[in-house]
Amino acid sequence: MTSTPTGDHADTGARQKRRRSATLSLNRVRPRNIAVVMAATLVVLGLNTEVAVADPEPTSRASDTIGYGPELRDEAAAFAYGLAFPDAAPQGANDWSCKPDEAHPRPVVLVHGTWANAYGAYASMSPQLKQAGYCVFTFNFGRPVVRGQGLDALLPGATGDIEESTKQVATFVDRVLAATGADQVDMIGHSQAALETRMYLKYEGGANPEDPARNKVKHLITYGGTNHGTSLDSFATLMLAVQAKLPPGSIDLHEPFTQVLGAGGVQQVYDSKVVAKVNEGGDTVPGVDYTIVGGIYDEVSTPFDKTFLTAGPGATVNDVVLQDGCPQDISDHNSMLYSPRAISIALHALDPVAHPDLVCSVNPWLI
């Protein structure tokens, strides 16, 4: 004989039955409905897988110039002025109403090097390019979003990650093309800027491998470019020598040197993955004419001839030793941008008909 549950026993049985029913219902809907609900929730909250794996926040930034500094022909004086007024533009640059003409069909974009800024690098060259009839543009890049305890806290720019900085270069070139209506620019770069501009050509849209006629850059002119690595004023030589003496798996000296010198500096050393990436598949891209200037007194991009490039298919390369035919020019790594001969090389590369001759005069080392 079966008894019928009453009171609390009946309530308990009913609750257990409802739980079993709910569990069975949940099991039936889980394969489809829960997946749909979760996916919809993720989309509403912006947490789908593509968004969740976000790009890291940039550690450096670019900035426009503000105002103008004086035209200076002395590198040390220009560097000092650039430290005091880090946002100043060199004379002749950043006239956003400037339009290229038939004789000067492409604007010229100037890109500074490590621990430098637009003014300190181009206080002499920019006004001379403008006087020659070119639309000239420049900016500051690679500035830390949060300043550290090293040289990035003291010096005006290009201490940030090189690949981040390359994106800043790409954005600026697009602004110049849009403002001027030109199809292409010519670019001039110093030191680290050789890597930046070449990275831009290969990886950030500066060149069109399918149709080189549609490249955004026609001429690239570099001075003291760290194209195949650098000793970084012997800091890198010291770092790599000490690293080789340390036991495998011990401290990586790249990290403390990065904190002191900035990522952009350390990424130019001989063993850098950035240097390897830029040179992967060859030094050049089709459709670009390269003028690569090295100086025998360069104490940073050493050996100086490591700056030189080898032309690949569809490209031309003119490797120039600054002192060839002008031994009295003893420019070093930084002062070469203030060399009358170096500036005449740029003008000749941009328009050899209008500027057939190279200047030769004294230009000092580190002054």
Side-chain angles (χ1 to χ4, degrees):
M1 182 176 179
T2 304
S3 62
T4 302
T6 60
D8 291 341
H9 294 288
D11 291 342
T12 300
R15 286 195 297 270
Q16 291 173 342
K17 184 176 182 181
R18 285 195 297 271
R19 282 198 297 268
R20 286 194 299 270
S21 176
T23 301
L24 289 171
S25 298
L26 183 61
N27 287 336
R28 284 195 295 269
V29 302
R30 181 174 290 125
R32 180 186 304 171
N33 295 3
I34 288 182
V36 171
V37 171
M38 288 181 67
T41 303
L42 290 173
V43 170
V44 170
L45 294 176
L47 296 176
N48 56 55
T49 54
E50 291 186 1
V51 176
V53 185
D55 290 335
E57 289 294 319
T59 59
S60 69
R61 60 183 177 84
S63 64
D64 286 343
T65 58
I66 302 172
Y68 289 89
E71 180 176 351
L72 293 175
R73 301 297 176 94
D74 179 272
E75 187 271 330
F79 180 76
Y81 188 95
L83 283 180
F85 302 96
D87 295 320
Q91 292 290 323
N94 297 345
D95 174 2
W96 292 93
S97 66
C98 186
K99 302 296 181 184
D101 57 28
E102 186 175 351
H104 312 88
R106 291 175 298 275
V108 179
V109 175
L110 308 177
V111 187
H112 64 77
T114 314
W115 308 337
N117 57 8
Y119 179 84
Y122 295 109
S124 179
M125 186 181 294
S126 174
Q128 293 185 66
L129 291 170
K130 181 68 172 179
Q131 291 160 15
Y134 292 95
C135 296
V136 182
F137 297 90
T138 190
F139 74 122
N140 296 304
F141 70 91
R143 292 181 161 180
V145 173
V146 177
R147 290 193 177 275
Q149 302 300 312
L151 290 176
D152 66 349
L154 303 173
L155 297 173
T159 60
D161 177 86
I162 285 178
E163 294 188 73
E164 277 188 14
S165 295
T166 300
K167 296 180 187 297
Q168 297 161 18
V169 171
T171 299
F172 188 76
V173 171
D174 283 347
R175 286 177 59 196
V176 171
L177 292 173
T180 60
D183 295 324
Q184 293 181 312
V185 301
D186 295 325
M187 302 189 78
I188 297 177
H190 175 240
S191 191
Q192 180 190 142
L195 292 178
E196 301 286 359
T197 51
R198 292 178 58 225
M199 180 81 75
Y200 165 58
L201 288 170
K202 280 192 171 184
Y203 299 107
E204 292 296 337
N208 186 328
E210 303 300 322
D211 184 3
R214 299 179 66 183
N215 288 352
K216 295 180 181 180
V217 179
K218 178 56 179 173
H219 294 287
L220 174 59
I221 304 165
T222 69
Y223 296 89
T226 53
N227 284 313
H228 297 102
T230 173
S231 69
L232 204 63
D233 255 341
S234 298
F235 285 115
T237 304
L238 173 64
M239 179 187 72
L240 295 176
V242 174
Q243 186 75 65
K245 301 293 185 182
L246 295 175
S250 60
I251 184 172
D252 182 356
L253 291 179
H254 292 77
E255 295 179 9
F257 270 77
T258 296
Q259 293 174 8
V260 174
L261 304 176
V266 175
Q267 286 173 336
Q268 295 172 76
V269 303
Y270 304 120
D271 68 339
S272 164
K273 293 179 181 178
V274 170
V275 172
K277 181 176 180 179
V278 170
N279 294 302
E280 184 179 358
D283 290 346
T284 62
V285 298
V288 176
D289 298 324
Y290 298 79
T291 299
I292 309 300
V293 182
I296 62 175
Y297 300 107
D298 193 324
E299 76 282 25
V300 174
S301 184
T302 56
F304 82 91
D305 56 358
K306 286 178 72 70
T307 192
F308 295 143
L309 303 182
T310 299
T316 66
V317 171
N318 183 22
D319 289 327
V320 180
V321 178
L322 183 61
Q323 288 77 22
D324 276 359
C326 190
Q328 59 265 48
D329 188 327
I330 58 170
S331 303
D332 77 318
H333 184 72
N334 288 319
S335 68
M336 71 171 66
L337 288 177
Y338 289 77
S339 158
R341 187 170 187 80
I343 294 171
S344 71
I345 289 170
L347 290 168
H348 179 77
L350 294 172
D351 188 348
V353 175
H355 305 279
D357 300 319
L358 300 185
V359 174
C360 180
S361 63
V362 173
N363 194 61
W365 187 88
L366 276 179
I367 298 178

